[in-house]
Amino acid sequence: MQAFLIDAQKEFMSALLAGTSFDSFIVCSVQVTTFTTFTVDGSWHPEFAGASAEDQEAGEKPESSSLTWRMVRPAIYSLIRGKTPPLQIKAVLRLSDENTQKVLAQAGLPLSPQDVTGLYLNILYDREKITLTAGTSLRVFTPDRTLDQVWGDLTGKFLSKLQITYEKI
């Protein structure tokens, strides 16, 4: 597990809420605290007729009855836009299964995609700072922490690609 203290808060929030860089991540949960706390549990309800026409046209079906950040981002953005910033945002995002397979293949790790529960980004914004934690969860025991290191390094490269400065903590 690696943690990053985000120096470029404005750039990070812009990438998260207005950009598309995080759109392929699966939403596990999001909590936004303004005058009250709004919670998104990440479950997808396809029977809801108000599902985004854009998502339906694209044929987007979330993995495991979960939503992508692309599908949830507009609602989260609408909760926090305005003059007063939110008190707190907590989000847990998971790398898609397809991208997890790519990470395992590129790293040459002796793990199958079925061995990996998820590669996660935990985002915590509390008005004063943003902390991003890259973590992994496995279905099998391994004393080796290589996947943690690989995922943390890829997270740092991802932030650098977005021109978001950070400190490792």
Side-chain angles (χ1 to χ4, degrees), residues 24-26 63 94-102 119:
S24 65
F25 281 87
I26 304 301
E63 296 176 9
R94 179 177 59 83
L95 192 66
S96 69
D97 292 344
E98 179 182 330
N99 287 330
T100 298
Q101 288 177 354
K102 289 178 186 177
L119 303 179

Side-chain angles (χ1 to χ4, degrees), residues 19-82:
T20 60
S21 300
F22 291 86
D23 280 1
S24 65
F25 281 87
I26 304 301
V27 175
C28 298
S29 65
V30 182
Q31 285 187 332
V32 177
T33 304
T34 57
F35 66 93
T36 191
T37 300
F38 298 92
T39 302
V40 176
D41 68 3
S43 61
W44 180 55
H45 302 284
E47 65 278 5
F48 180 67
S52 164
E54 182 179 301
D55 293 333
Q56 289 175 3
E57 287 175 17
E60 184 164 353
K61 289 188 176 183
E63 296 176 9
S64 306
S65 300
S66 298
L67 300 174
T68 62
W69 182 249
R70 176 178 169 261
M71 298 167 81
V72 174
R73 179 173 38 90
I76 301 299
Y77 182 75
S78 71
L79 287 173
I80 65 167
R81 73 172 178 232

Side-chain angles (χ1 to χ4, degrees), residues 14-166:
S14 178
L16 182 66
L17 298 168
T20 60
S21 300
F22 291 86
D23 280 1
S24 65
F25 281 87
I26 304 301
V27 175
C28 298
S29 65
V30 182
Q31 285 187 332
V32 177
T33 304
T34 57
F35 66 93
T36 191
T37 300
F38 298 92
T39 302
V40 176
D41 68 3
S43 61
W44 180 55
H45 302 284
E47 65 278 5
F48 180 67
S52 164
E54 182 179 301
D55 293 333
Q56 289 175 3
E57 287 175 17
E60 184 164 353
K61 289 188 176 183
E63 296 176 9
S64 306
S65 300
S66 298
L67 300 174
T68 62
W69 182 249
R70 176 178 169 261
M71 298 167 81
V72 174
R73 179 173 38 90
I76 301 299
Y77 182 75
S78 71
L79 287 173
I80 65 167
R81 73 172 178 232
K83 294 179 182 178
T84 306
L87 298 173
Q88 188 177 70
I89 299 173
K90 292 180 188 179
V92 179
L93 305 178
R94 179 177 59 83
L95 192 66
S96 69
D97 292 344
E98 179 182 330
N99 287 330
T100 298
Q101 288 177 354
K102 289 178 186 177
V103 168
L104 294 174
Q106 289 172 354
L109 296 172
L111 294 168
S112 73
Q114 293 77 23
D115 294 337
V116 179
T117 305
L119 303 179
Y120 296 95
L121 294 180
N122 296 295
I123 301 164
L124 176 60
Y125 163 84
D126 70 1
R127 280 189 134 176
E128 294 180 17
K129 66 181 185 283
I130 300 172
T131 306
L132 176 71
T133 306
T136 63
S137 177
L138 298 172
R139 290 186 178 94
V140 297
F141 173 76
T142 175
D144 185 311
R145 304 307 296 172
T146 305
L147 182 58
D148 281 338
Q149 186 64 44
V150 167
W151 180 233
D153 292 346
L154 286 173
T155 300
K157 289 177 184 177
F158 177 67
L159 293 171
S160 295
K161 181 181 173 185
L162 296 175
Q163 299 180 341
I164 296 170
T165 57
Y166 61 88

